[in-house]
Amino acid sequence: MLRLVQNTPPPVALRLDDVGLCRGGRMVLDGLSLDVPAQGITAIMGPNGAGKSLSLRIMAGLIAPEAGTCTHDLSGKQDIALVFQKPVLLRRTVRANLAHALAIYGVPRAKRKARIADLLDFGRLGAIADSPARALSGGEQQRVAMVRALAAKPKLLLLDEPTASLDPQATDAIETLIRDTAAAGAAIVLVTHDRGQATRLADHIRFMHRGQLVEAAPAAQFMLAQKSPEAQAYLSGHLLL
Amino acid sequence: MQGFGDAFAAAFALIVGFDADLVEIVALSLRVTLSAVFIACLIGFPLGAALAVGRFPLRGMLTILVNALMGLPPVVVGLGVYLMLSRAGPLGVLNLLYTPTAMIIAQAILVTPIVAALTRQIVADLDTEYHETLRSMGAGRGARMATLLWDGRFALMTAALAGLGRALAEVGAVMIVGGNIDHVTRVMTTAIALETSKGELATALGLGIVLMVLSIALNALLMGAKATSERMAHA
Ligand SMILES: Nc1ncnc2c1ncn2[C@@H]1O[C@H](COP(=O)(O)OP(=O)(O)OP(=O)(O)O)[C@@H](O)[C@H]1O
Ligand SMILES: [Mg+2]
């Protein structure tokens, strides 16, 4: 995005500052500082075990950092939504899952039916609306989880590898959902291992390694040339330990 | 003393002929146990769910207590309720001793810990799976409890059926607070005990067969509910 005033820093939706977290007797997040711009899609990349999923949990307020801080001014309960790497759907139909979410988000009963229809339409879930959600394929469940999160109309949407198990068509559908949501003004954090996806969607890249931020850059610039050897090795497919 | 063969034949005749006394006894048994289990579920479901996801003082103690009360000896419950309801007892003015209501109270006390303890386990297991998801959606404790109870509904049915099995087979408590009065508080188990001691094997056997069939049906239902619950989990 072209900025006319070069010196003002872009607005930030959320910021992790020197965050530390201990799991299994070791520091799995260690001095992690990372900002999520308020505009556009931020892709978090990094090898397995880098701490991406834990970072998202901290951003969502599900776990408190043991050191450092997570700051944002999203005060509403539903301002931040998280779609887990392995989404958990309720033991109900797809429609009932969405109805349940809307009830929790405080949508009045009279308005739910119309909202559900919109959401089913939006996620192209019409054909499976009355199937038991947990009997669906992995990709279908992912889409339901995504739409369920969107039902909250979040200002910050956190997506943990939302297309990891999806076929190209479903991936395309999810990417369209992500783009539409970003266009509607939500800030999006997208954890992905898919370089192509990051290129297609991301405006900003945050590259993590061993619980730390190694590189932060605009996406276009990052995809052309990475500054850190870790990111270079990761993107060129070298095993990174 | 009749021969076994004659007793069986007479027992079947009573069942097939819908013998009025037999039907009355079976009906009262069902009325008492179903009412008791219904009350136990009204208390046990929310109590179990609260023990599973609630955060309040003495939660740990209460959990241990509820689990311990699962094995409450029916005669002790009967004795306790008897003391409460007897004329000199604190609730003596209600005149409930030797009524079906007294039997329902005793069995509800017996069954509530079973339903509550099983519910706690079911809800806690489900909560480990749902916890993060529900929290990330911003669900409060009440909404969380309601979600867990609803999604565990088939597993909870197994808890209710387990309670029903216990109530239906139980004899000590209903004997003490009901008194096994003919046409008033005589239920299957107390009648079987009495008729057997009188040597009236046909009636005892007839009731015994009905009780067996009911308990087999109950177990079939229980297995069905379990299977449905597992099918719903799909994971
Ligand atoms: N409860 C836990 N106990 C022990 N170790 C844990 C626990 N939770 C996370 N970890 C460790 O923390 C590290 C970071 O985990 P995290 O799930 O955030 O990785 P990730 O970057 O999302 O990886 P992936 O790309 O595989 O999803 C991993 O090494 C993991 O083994
Ligand atoms: Mg992860």
Side-chain angles (χ1 to χ4, degrees):
Chain A
M1 187 184 295
L2 183 68
R3 309 208 126 261
L4 295 177
V5 187
Q6 289 291 337
N7 289 334
T8 49
V12 163
L14 178 146
R15 187 190 301 279
L16 297 182
D17 207 16
D18 207 16
V19 162
L21 195 69
C22 183
R23 285 287 184 275
R26 64 199 171 87
M27 297 298 287
V28 289
L29 297 181
D30 196 1
L32 171 67
S33 295
L34 179 158
D35 66 302
V36 175
Q39 291 296 317
I41 300 174
T42 304
I44 298 186
M45 303 187 80
N48 292 139
K52 306 179 295 296
S53 295
L54 286 174
S55 306
L56 287 199
R57 282 187 167 80
I58 289 176
M59 292 180 193
L62 291 176
I63 44 185
E66 287 155 13
T69 54
C70 170
T71 47
H72 55 78
D73 51 12
L74 303 166
S75 51
K77 258 198 315 184
Q78 279 111 45
D79 283 349
I80 303 180
L82 167 60
V83 179
F84 293 90
Q85 194 165 350
K86 294 179 202 139
V88 175
L89 300 177
L90 305 187
R91 288 156 168 78
R92 312 172 187 211
T93 63
V94 171
R95 195 187 297 279
N97 265 275
L98 297 179
H100 172 266
L102 290 172
I104 286 188
Y105 300 148
V107 175
R109 194 177 289 272
K111 293 190 179 161
R112 283 180 211 158
K113 217 174 158 186
R115 283 286 300 279
I116 291 169
D118 284 350
L119 288 166
L120 289 172
D121 206 40
F122 191 55
R124 286 187 240 163
L125 298 168
I128 51 171
D130 295 303
S131 306
R134 297 167 71 98
L136 300 177
S137 80
E140 289 165 339
Q141 293 199 32
Q142 197 80 42
R143 262 156 64 200
V144 175
M146 174 93 182
V147 169
R148 179 175 67 181
L150 290 176
K153 298 191 171 159
K155 300 198 173 96
L156 174 61
L157 179 62
L158 310 170
L159 304 170
D160 200 348
E161 303 189 33
T163 60
S165 59
L166 268 53
D167 68 32
Q169 201 188 342
T171 300
D172 196 54
I174 291 275
E175 290 188 359
T176 305
L177 280 181
I178 296 173
R179 265 195 218 96
D180 291 351
T181 309
I188 294 182
V189 176
L190 169 71
V191 171
T192 181
H193 288 292
D194 182 344
R195 177 184 186 156
Q197 181 168 71
T199 309
R200 286 190 296 276
L201 294 180
D203 302 293
H204 327 275
I205 303 284
R206 302 292 178 261
F207 186 84
M208 286 180 63
H209 185 224
R210 289 193 186 164
Q212 293 186 322
L213 184 79
V214 176
E215 193 165 340
Q221 180 186 323
F222 181 86
M223 288 306 166
L224 281 177
Q226 305 82 39
K227 289 199 195 90
S228 63
E230 290 91 346
Q232 281 166 13
Y234 175 83
L235 283 190
S236 62
H238 288 306
L239 194 56
L240 194 59
L241 292 173
Chain B
M1 179 81 178
Q2 306 147 284
F4 274 138
D6 293 347
F8 265 111
F12 274 111
L14 288 178
I15 297 170
V16 176
F18 284 100
D19 176 77
D21 283 348
L22 189 112
V23 169
E24 188 189 348
I25 291 172
V26 172
L28 181 64
S29 283
L30 290 176
R31 193 184 118 207
V32 168
T33 51
L34 287 173
S35 306
V37 170
F38 181 72
I39 294 167
C41 290
L42 279 186
I43 302 169
F45 287 162
L47 176 61
L51 289 175
V53 305
R55 293 283 170 272
F56 49 88
L58 297 182
R59 188 175 69 107
M61 289 266 297
L62 210 56
T63 303
I64 293 170
L65 185 72
V66 165
N67 274 301
L69 291 181
M70 269 181 97
L72 220 52
V75 283
V76 175
V77 173
L79 181 59
V81 174
Y82 178 92
L83 291 175
M84 295 293 287
L85 298 181
S86 67
R87 194 153 301 157
L91 300 177
V93 287
L94 298 178
N95 262 323
L96 286 177
L97 201 59
Y98 303 134
T99 65
T101 306
M103 298 155 80
I104 293 171
I105 293 172
Q107 292 209 325
I109 291 174
L110 204 63
V111 174
T112 298
I114 297 175
V115 175
L118 294 176
T119 298
R120 192 204 64 81
Q121 189 61 52
I122 289 162
V123 171
D125 287 348
L126 204 53
D127 190 43
T128 51
E129 192 191 334
Y130 280 13
H131 184 81
E132 276 202 318
T133 300
L134 293 178
R135 255 193 2 114
S136 79
M137 292 166 77
R141 214 177 284 286
R144 249 173 72 204
M145 253 169 67
T147 305
L148 293 166
L149 283 173
W150 179 251
D151 275 39
R153 60 197 177 277
F154 285 98
L156 291 177
M157 221 159 90
T158 66
L161 290 171
L164 192 57
R166 166 101 156 153
L168 210 53
E170 180 276 323
V171 51
V174 284
M175 183 73 105
I176 294 178
V177 302
N180 193 27
I181 302 168
D182 204 6
H183 301 302
V184 182
T185 58
R186 183 159 298 174
V187 291
M188 284 191 277
T189 52
T190 56
I192 291 172
L194 177 76
E195 301 299 343
T196 307
S197 69
K198 287 199 313 194
E200 290 285 342
L201 290 188
T203 312
L205 267 174
L207 288 168
I209 290 166
V210 173
L211 191 54
M212 279 288 291
V213 168
L214 281 175
S215 109
I216 289 169
L218 200 68
N219 270 290
L221 269 178
L222 214 151
M223 278 165 62
K226 245 187 199 136
T228 307
S229 163
E230 274 153 26
R231 193 150 31 80
M232 301 263 303
H234 258 110

